[in-house]
């Protein structure tokens, strides 16, 4: 590879990395995308059954994917898309577990993304003004709206125009149909409890029968594909960024130090513009390693906030059964139409922004994501043959606290790269929110005529029941931070360098040719699934970065 033909370097090839590459390349900028993992072919990346199941069992038995296997997504994806935890370590206090899911391959975690696309509004961006907690975002909904629209049109997302000011409508294809059980649930919950229920917004289920097509929800099936089509983009796989290099007065980044993941060899790469899209915790690791405290001639963070205020959505989950009284159409076509996906599901949005909030004793909001009859097992595996299986998962906003943070561990990976040390726990506000979530779920299931039960009482799970019994994520209490894979924060946007790490266009305050555009730049977490907003922020920042200088 020639070291000098690129005008921009994008670190990471997932959801934000794909948007960064597409935005820059479509503007004529020659761009290199660096990815820490390999470049896989479609068939190998998606995998198939029963091979994927055998790989999962091996990952569990060997301890290579012990933490990541706690997340339900692991059990429906190819485990090759989840990292080997022995080769990619991180540390945390014993009394504060953190469940970090990593994706090290071209496409990153976009290949295992659930595909839900929700906009956030000024209710979320300006919430600190209303309740006095934390810092507001230095941007408004109007700053993001055109980028939301561009991305929704480009990526072909489904949804319904619901007219909710706290969950703005987007540019949607028609919503995917509800199941008959979901229709009954909607009618009962809305009429008896006055809770809002809407179609989920996002991507349809990817047809796994087509082994040569990437999912449209992945960067490889959308943004990165479009970027490569320009002829302006090259991908450099199996290279992890250790740290950034700066000029003498530390006002600009001049390059990066890369570590080859196949042999540990280090090399220097020149760069005029660096766009960090490595995912929140990896981006924080790179920035921490590049600070003046850890690197001679490193960059200065006047705020002292780098690494602080890590957030993830607090969550809770309940499974339930509904009587099969309305389900007469059980043909194959109907089952195929109702497979669980980002758009094939439903939301009860911002449950604390309604009349229900009269029982609220906490700050900010949450939503419930659900589905009924979306993952029905074969009849021989159902313990209640006359019922349909549903789930409701709450995910709520987490308040930024300085003691929730990422630092550098003394532990290193096999090539000497320092591992992140993650210290994060739920506060009293989150605990009160989870109590409220559980009550909302219980009321909703009762109103619909359903019964809450542990998953193992609804489905027979041969071979893995012992694991299910001990799985942290399936206990009655809220799973630890990291479980929801919505980690944000640590390098927040702001209005001045004393209170934030990057400015309103995501530039390091004293080193403006470094953009931090993934979840690391978030001052607050909001409650919505964050990926669409991350992509909108990325496009906005990249377009600003390449504007002609006046």
């Amino acid at each position: 590879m020639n070291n000098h033909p690129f005008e921009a370097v994008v670190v990471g090839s997932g959801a934000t990395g794909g948007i960064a590459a597409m935005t820059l390349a479509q503007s004529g900028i020659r761009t290199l995308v660096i990815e820490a993992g390999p470049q896989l072919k479609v068939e190998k990346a998606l995998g198939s059954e029963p091979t994927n199941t055998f790989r999962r069992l091996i990952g569990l038995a060997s301890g290579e994917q012990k933490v990541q296997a706690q997340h339900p997504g692991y059990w429906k994806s190819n485990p090759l898309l989840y990292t080997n935890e022995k080769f990619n370590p991180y540390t945390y206090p014993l009394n504060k577990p953190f469940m970090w899911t990593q994706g090290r391959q071209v496409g990153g975690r976009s290949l295992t993304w659930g595909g839900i696309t929700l906009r956030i509004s000024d209710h979320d961006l300006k919430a600190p003004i209303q309740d006095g907690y934390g810092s507001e975002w230095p941007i408004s909904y109007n700053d993001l709206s055109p980028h939301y629209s561009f991305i929704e049109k480009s990526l072909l997302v489904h949804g319904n125009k619901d007219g909710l000011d706290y969950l703005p409508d987007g540019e949607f294809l028609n919503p995917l149909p509800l199941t008959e059980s979901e229709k009954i649930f909607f009618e009962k919950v809305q009429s008896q409890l006055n809770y809002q229920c809407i179609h989920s917004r996002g991507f349809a289920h990817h047809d796994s029968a087509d082994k040569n097509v990437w999912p449209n929800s992945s960067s490889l099936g959308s943004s990165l594909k479009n970027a490569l089509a320009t002829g302006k983009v090259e991908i450099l796989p199996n290279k992890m960024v250790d740290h950034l290099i700066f000029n003498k007065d530390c006002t600009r980044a001049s390059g990066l130090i890369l570590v080859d993941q196949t042999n540990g060899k280090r090399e220097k790469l020149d760069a005029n513009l660096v766009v960090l899209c490595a995912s929140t915790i990896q981006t924080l690791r790179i920035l921490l390693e590049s600070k003046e405290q850890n690197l001679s001639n490193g960059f200065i963070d006047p705020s002292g906030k780098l690494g602080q205020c890590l957030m993830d959505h607090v969550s809770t989950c309940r499974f339930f059964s509904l009587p099969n009284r309305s389900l007469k159409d059980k043909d194959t076509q109907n089952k195929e139409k109702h497979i669980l996906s980002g758009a094939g599901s439903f939301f009860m949005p911002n449950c604390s922004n309604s009349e229900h909030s009269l029982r609220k004793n906490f700050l900010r909001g949450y939503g419930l994501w659900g589905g009924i009859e979306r993952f029905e097992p074969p009849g021989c595996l159902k313990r209640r043959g006359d019922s349909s299986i549903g789930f409701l998962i709450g995910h709520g906003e987490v308040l930024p606290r300085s003691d929730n943070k990422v630092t550098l561990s003394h532990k290193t990976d096999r090539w000497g790269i320092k591992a992140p040390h993650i210290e994060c726990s739920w506060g009293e506000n989150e605990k009160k929110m989870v109590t409220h979530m559980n009550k909302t779920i219980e009321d909703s299931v009762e109103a619909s005529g359903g019964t809450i039960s542990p998953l193992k009482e609804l489905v027979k799970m041969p071979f893995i029941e012992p694991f299910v019994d001990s799985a942290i994520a399936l206990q009655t209490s809220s799973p630890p931070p990291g479980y929801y894979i919505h980690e944000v924060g640590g390098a927040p946007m702001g209005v001045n360098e004393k209170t934030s790490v990057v400015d309103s266009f995501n530039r390091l305050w004293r080193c403006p040719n470094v953009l931090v555009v993934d979840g690391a730049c978030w001052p607050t977490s909001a409650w919505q699934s964050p990926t669409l907003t991350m992509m909108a922020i990325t496009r906005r920042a990249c377009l600003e970065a390449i504007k002609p200088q006046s």
Side-chain angles (χ1 to χ4, degrees), residues 34-37 236-241 258-261 267:
I34 300 173
E35 171 54 52
L236 184 61
N238 285 315
K239 305 284 186 179
M240 179 174 282
V241 176
L258 309 182
V259 181
D260 191 307
Q261 294 300 285
E267 61 183 291

Side-chain angles (χ1 to χ4, degrees), residues 60-71:
L60 280 172
S62 65
E64 293 177 354
Q65 295 171 327
K66 185 177 180 180
V67 172
Q68 295 166 108
Q70 301 278 344
H71 193 277

Side-chain angles (χ1 to χ4, degrees), residues 305-541:
K305 292 184 178 295
L306 180 61
Q308 296 180 10
C309 298
L310 179 70
M311 298 163 279
D312 180 33
H313 285 146
V314 65
S315 65
T316 186
C317 177
R318 294 291 184 271
F319 291 92
F320 60 93
S321 59
L322 278 179
N324 249 347
R325 56 185 179 268
S326 66
L327 302 178
K328 299 177 181 178
D329 181 6
K330 284 290 188 179
D331 60 40
T332 302
Q333 183 179 4
N334 196 50
K335 287 183 179 180
E336 185 69 23
K337 185 171 60 177
H338 293 314
I339 295 176
L340 181 67
S341 69
S345 48
F346 65 86
F347 256 99
M348 298 170 63
N350 209 353
C351 295
S352 57
N353 194 37
S354 64
E355 294 179 10
H356 187 46
S357 65
L358 294 174
R359 287 181 276 169
K360 175 181 170 183
N361 61 348
F362 55 88
L363 298 179
R364 312 293 167 84
Y366 68 85
L368 299 180
W369 179 53
I372 310 171
E373 238 197 326
R374 296 283 181 178
F375 53 97
E376 293 292 298
C380 62
L381 296 180
K382 291 183 68 171
R383 296 189 187 276
R384 302 176 187 176
D386 60 345
S387 65
S388 299
I389 298 173
F391 71 91
L392 283 170
I393 299 176
H395 54 91
E397 179 162 358
V398 169
L399 298 181
R401 299 191 345 249
S402 59
D403 58 331
N404 284 340
K405 57 190 176 181
V406 177
T407 55
L408 295 177
S409 171
H410 294 297
K411 188 173 185 177
T412 65
D413 71 6
R414 55 182 171 162
W415 306 127
I417 297 175
K418 289 181 182 177
H421 179 74
I422 307 169
E423 186 168 349
C424 192
S425 62
W426 304 133
E428 288 305 311
N429 195 72
E430 287 80 51
K431 293 174 183 177
K432 291 177 180 177
M433 184 182 289
V434 168
T435 299
H436 199 273
M437 287 179 184
N438 286 332
K439 179 61 173 160
T440 304
I441 292 172
E442 292 164 7
D443 291 347
S444 300
V445 173
E446 181 180 358
S448 68
T451 303
I452 293 176
S453 302
L455 183 59
K456 67 178 184 179
E457 293 183 10
L458 300 174
V459 181
K460 300 173 186 177
M461 294 174 280
F463 306 116
I464 64 169
E465 282 201 18
F467 169 76
V468 171
D469 286 340
S470 62
I472 295 174
L474 294 179
Q475 305 305 308
T476 55
S477 58
S478 180
Y483 166 74
Y484 217 79
I485 322 181
H486 286 175
E487 60 269 15
V488 294
M493 304 168 70
V495 295
N496 64 67
E497 66 174 24
K498 294 182 180 180
T499 60
S500 57
V501 176
V502 298
D503 67 15
S504 62
F505 284 102
N506 303 85
R507 301 168 293 206
L508 285 178
W509 279 106
R510 297 194 181 183
C511 193
N513 72 327
V514 177
L515 307 183
V516 180
V517 296
D518 57 21
C521 72
W522 287 42
T524 65
S525 74
W527 67 266
Q528 297 88 337
S529 302
T531 307
L532 178 67
T533 298
M534 291 179 189
M535 292 192 284
I537 288 170
T538 299
R539 183 172 186 269
R540 176 177 180 270

